[in-house]
Amino acid sequence: MQEADKIKAKGIDEIWCVSVNDAFVMAAWGKDNKAFGKVRMMADGNAEYTKALGVETDLTARGMGFRSQRYSMIVHDGVVKALNIEAPGKFEVSGADKMLAQL
């Protein structure tokens, strides 16, 4: 949330946070992180969007069902310009600082 203004200053219209959760969880997460007006919190409860992107990860063996890999994406006029997918357990390529460098 801290870099939202910098990202928007680079010409980005909207920032979305998509998670395989329900809308109530996303709303609470957004409220807790003061995201309203900065980041649109998008629920993907059935992982349909996540699966369509090909970024799902199957955690059913751990009782968690299908989840999403951590990633960031830059989309311009419906075309993906950058897709940064993290290795499991990592946070190295999908952060706001990396995205700012790609804009």
Side-chain angles (χ1 to χ4, degrees), residues 42-58:
M42 305 293 288
D44 185 23
N46 292 328
E48 291 173 9
Y49 182 75
T50 298
K51 289 177 183 177
L53 287 177
V55 295
E56 77 277 3
T57 185
D58 184 357

Side-chain angles (χ1 to χ4, degrees), residues 25 28 30 37 47 60 70 85-87 90 94 96:
V25 168
T60 55
R70 183 183 302 247
I85 301 175
E86 294 288 354
K90 300 289 183 179
S94 66

Side-chain angles (χ1 to χ4, degrees), residues 30-94:
K31 182 179 179 183
D32 191 50
N33 285 283
K34 298 174 179 54
F36 297 113
K38 295 181 180 184
V39 177
R40 186 180 293 223
M41 305 301 284
M42 305 293 288
D44 185 23
N46 292 328
E48 291 173 9
Y49 182 75
T50 298
K51 289 177 183 177
L53 287 177
V55 295
E56 77 277 3
T57 185
D58 184 357
L59 299 177
T60 55
R62 297 182 191 166
M64 297 174 63
F66 281 93
R67 310 304 296 170
S68 177
Q69 296 177 63
R70 183 183 302 247
Y71 68 94
S72 63
M73 181 169 44
I74 298 171
V75 180
H76 184 263
D77 291 334
V79 177
V80 176
K81 298 294 184 176
L83 179 59
N84 312 303
I85 301 175
E86 294 288 354
K90 300 289 183 179
F91 184 57
E92 300 170 345
V93 301
S94 66

